Structures are given as structure tokens and as C-alpha cells.
Amino acid sequence: MKVSEITTKELKNYLRLDDDSFNDELDVCLESAISYVCEHTGLVQNETKKELDEHEDITMAVFVLVSDFFENHLYHQGGVGVEVKVNKIVDTILNHHRVNLI
């Protein structure tokens, strides 16, 4: 599956949601996740985002990000005096495709 093919239905299946009451929230989470991937990797140089579709593993990163945004509202966990823990699945997948090396 490509990033451009992700729908609210697939996200609801992934998150095990049965009703339609969260469609708007999932749409926001999906757009936010895709935006995050674009900024983190630097892959997208135009508005079509076709570059993301060339890497099917990025689809999994988007699903994980949507799940984190929806369920935890956090990409990382930690606080004052606590080690910050970033989601390693997302971090690893996206680092494989970085072109901006930031």
C-alpha cells in the first residue's frame, strides 16, 4: 500500500475502531502524519507527494504516527528529569529516507 492510498477506513481497521465518530479526527491525524514525514525526511519537494509512494515502508510509519497522534497524542514520552523516548519504529523508517540530513 502506498501513502496516497491510505484512507480513513484503513486507519479505523488498524486502530480497531468500529464507528464513524472519529472520522474527522483521523483525517487530521493522517494529514499531520504525512506532513511530519515530509518535513522529517525532506523527500517531498512539491505538493504532489509522489516521492512518498516510492517507499512503501513509509506507509507503516504513517500508520504508527496516526496511531500515536490518535491514541497517545504524543510522538515521544518523557518529562522533566525523565529520558525522552521517541517512537523507534517511526524514527528508524524515516531516517532511512532522509535527504535533508538534519
Side-chain angles (χ1 to χ4, degrees):
M1 173 183 285
K2 298 176 182 180
V3 171
S4 64
E5 297 171 344
I6 299 173
T7 65
T8 303
K9 181 179 178 180
E10 277 94 20
L11 293 172
K12 287 193 300 190
N13 287 337
Y14 182 75
L15 296 169
R16 297 185 177 106
L17 298 173
D18 293 329
D19 59 48
D20 292 333
S21 60
F22 297 107
N23 286 354
D24 291 339
E25 289 88 346
L26 289 174
D27 288 339
V28 170
C29 289
L30 177 58
E31 288 303 314
S32 297
I34 292 171
S35 178
Y36 178 86
V37 168
C38 293
E39 291 296 323
H40 186 84
T41 61
L43 282 173
V44 177
Q45 303 300 320
N46 57 46
E47 292 185 27
T48 65
K49 299 179 183 161
K50 289 181 182 179
E51 294 91 341
L52 298 181
D53 284 345
E54 296 172 12
H55 309 283
E56 289 197 22
D57 57 337
I58 289 180
T59 302
M60 189 68 234
V62 171
F63 273 93
V64 172
L65 279 168
V66 168
S67 176
D68 269 1
F69 293 164
F70 183 77
E71 294 176 359
N72 304 318
H73 309 288
L74 299 172
Y75 165 62
H76 61 80
Q77 296 183 2
V80 177
V82 178
E83 178 184 355
V84 174
K85 295 181 182 180
V86 174
N87 187 306
K88 292 295 183 190
I89 295 169
V90 173
D91 205 40
T92 300
I93 291 171
L94 297 182
N95 283 337
H96 283 283
H97 301 289
R98 288 177 86 160
V99 294
N100 57 4
L101 303 174
I102 297 175

